[in-house]
Amino acid sequence: MSGKPREAELQSSATVMPLPSRLAANAAEGHGIVRNPGMALDLGFVESMRSVNRSALERRVGTLTKRRSIKADNQAAWLLRSISLMDLTTLNSNDTDERVRRLCAKAVYPLRRDLVEALGLGDTVIRPAAVCVYHPFVATAVDAVKGAGIHVAAVSTAFPHGLAPLSTRIAEIEASVADGADEIDIVIPRGLVFGAKWQELYDEIKAFRAACGEAHLKVILGTGDLATLRNVTLASMVAMMAGADFIKTSTGKESVNATLPVGLAMVRAIRAYHEQTGYLIGFKPAGGISTAKVSLDWLVLMKEELGRPWLEPELFRFGASSLLTDIERQLEHHVSGRYSANHRHAMA
């Protein structure tokens, strides 16, 4: 018996519209929100964040991921939102200009045309928020995504460890901005956190922010290297005080990358900073987020802990490379009832 009638029935009932857009409360031009200007280093405020209850955070994460089930059309809409929140990334030692162009082509057209039509998206454009590359490929990426509304992010400051002279790290930021990057992902030297050298860490991040100019600054903490949630929370707070636009979990090169308990500790630091200053700070988990199911867990976390504004690319990003392929497979299953092989989807 032919499966075509059943497939047609599934496709006709699978029309999905993405979640409606909504800018953050302090909407402005450019990236969409008023930038965090930072504040003077307040060690009293930093120290007030020292008490971090790991077991309580883990219990909270457990309830979030178990009691929220997103199915059918709703799941498809949330997965489309996940695509729009992606920093599509290639950070490999064998990167080439051609590989970066291929990544950018996937960013401009993240879904197959037949899938877009089956989902009933019409003229709705679904694209990742940014592509993220090493400095030598910034100019290539800028040219490849020109006119597509996709940001270009450069990893900088001696990524992934941050172990280079400060002048070298600042010069790398300036070079990437000159080549057209409008987002800079910097890494902190983890030793400053272990030594509680908060003033030095603050001064370095402040210098990085100045070097970025109009480009937005994402501060990578390297949470897998920081050992404790207390260290993660305190480093998050210092980064925001120094003017970070985003705080980011990981480089993707640590043995442990983004985990939900770490993410919860960081978003609660973001909430505390917002309550203190009124400024909204973005959050970017990166490393190990490779399945559609995991992306939904992160979206639930953001919605429940920080609210609807943090489901916009101005305030939330996934650092991802293989995630897009799995989301594309899940969306194809939604419209056809069958899972496709990875090789049927264009590589990023």
Side-chain angles (χ1 to χ4, degrees):
M1 180 177 178
S2 172
K4 289 184 179 179
R6 173 60 177 162
E7 182 174 343
E9 178 185 344
L10 282 166
Q11 290 186 351
S12 65
S13 64
T15 300
V16 173
M17 294 305 293
L19 292 173
S21 295
R22 175 179 166 187
L23 289 177
N26 48 345
E29 295 182 358
H31 280 57
I33 63 170
V34 174
R35 293 189 71 182
N36 168 36
M39 58 182 284
L41 180 62
D42 184 344
L43 292 178
F45 187 19
V46 173
E47 290 300 310
S48 73
M49 301 295 296
R50 288 183 64 83
S51 298
V52 181
N53 187 328
R54 175 180 285 274
S55 62
L57 293 179
E58 290 173 344
R59 286 196 303 272
R60 171 63 171 159
V61 165
T63 63
L64 284 174
T65 57
K66 290 177 181 176
R67 67 187 174 90
R68 296 293 184 189
S69 181
I70 305 172
K71 301 294 185 182
D73 283 2
N74 288 329
Q75 183 183 85
W78 281 68
L79 291 178
L80 291 171
R81 177 53 49 122
S82 289
I83 293 174
S84 72
L85 298 171
M86 228 177 262
D87 281 3
L88 198 57
T89 302
T90 182
L91 298 172
N92 301 307
S93 60
N94 60 349
D95 282 344
T96 63
D97 286 322
E98 188 54 41
R99 182 177 184 140
V100 169
R101 290 190 191 98
R102 187 176 68 191
L103 178 86
C104 294
K106 184 65 174 176
V108 175
Y109 299 104
L111 298 173
R112 295 199 322 265
R113 189 173 299 279
D114 64 307
L115 195 52
V116 170
E117 293 172 357
L119 289 168
L121 294 178
D123 294 331
T124 303
V125 176
I126 303 293
R127 286 175 178 153
V131 292
C132 184
V133 297
Y134 280 116
H135 165 70
F137 306 106
V138 168
T140 298
V142 169
D143 181 67
V145 300
K146 186 181 301 181
I150 298 171
H151 297 291
V152 174
V155 293
S156 193
T157 61
F159 180 92
H161 303 299
L163 299 177
L166 181 60
S167 59
T168 301
R169 288 178 280 155
I170 290 174
E172 187 179 7
I173 293 173
E174 293 171 341
S176 292
V177 172
D179 279 356
D182 61 352
E183 298 181 357
I184 302 293
D185 291 28
I186 66 99
V187 291
I188 64 169
R190 282 59 133 188
L192 297 181
V193 177
F194 290 126
K197 297 179 180 179
W198 305 124
Q199 185 67 58
E200 187 175 346
L201 178 61
Y202 174 89
D203 290 342
E204 284 200 3
I205 296 173
K206 198 171 180 65
F208 298 152
R209 165 64 188 269
C212 285
E214 295 301 313
H216 276 214
L217 175 66
K218 303 196 202 89
V219 177
I220 308 170
L221 303 182
T223 55
D225 293 338
L226 293 185
T228 68
L229 291 179
R230 174 180 293 173
N231 284 341
V232 169
T233 299
L234 299 184
S236 297
M237 191 58 66
V238 172
M240 291 184 286
M241 288 180 176
D245 296 294
F246 271 72
I247 52 175
K248 176 178 171 181
T249 60
S250 320
T251 64
K253 309 295 185 182
E254 297 104 85
S255 58
V256 177
N257 292 292
T259 67
L260 289 169
V262 161
L264 182 53
M266 292 175 71
V267 300
R268 288 189 171 176
I270 287 172
R271 189 167 65 196
Y273 186 83
H274 176 248
E275 290 170 352
Q276 180 78 5
T277 67
Y279 287 98
L280 285 68
I281 308 299
F283 176 60
K284 179 178 173 180
I289 302 173
S290 58
T291 68
K293 171 62 171 64
V294 171
S295 78
L296 294 179
D297 289 343
W298 282 100
L299 292 184
V300 169
L301 171 66
M302 300 306 293
K303 176 66 168 62
E304 293 290 314
E305 286 290 321
L306 292 178
R308 179 64 180 79
W310 273 267
L311 295 183
E312 298 292 338
E314 291 84 4
L315 289 172
F316 182 69
R317 303 284 181 84
F318 293 110
S321 53
S322 58
L323 173 61
L324 181 54
T325 297
D326 192 61
I327 288 178
E328 204 172 2
R329 292 180 66 243
Q330 296 297 328
L331 290 173
E332 181 157 349
H333 177 267
H334 177 73
V335 300
S336 71
R338 296 187 295 272
Y339 285 106
S340 61
N342 283 356
H343 68 259
R344 293 194 66 244
H345 303 275
M347 295 175 63

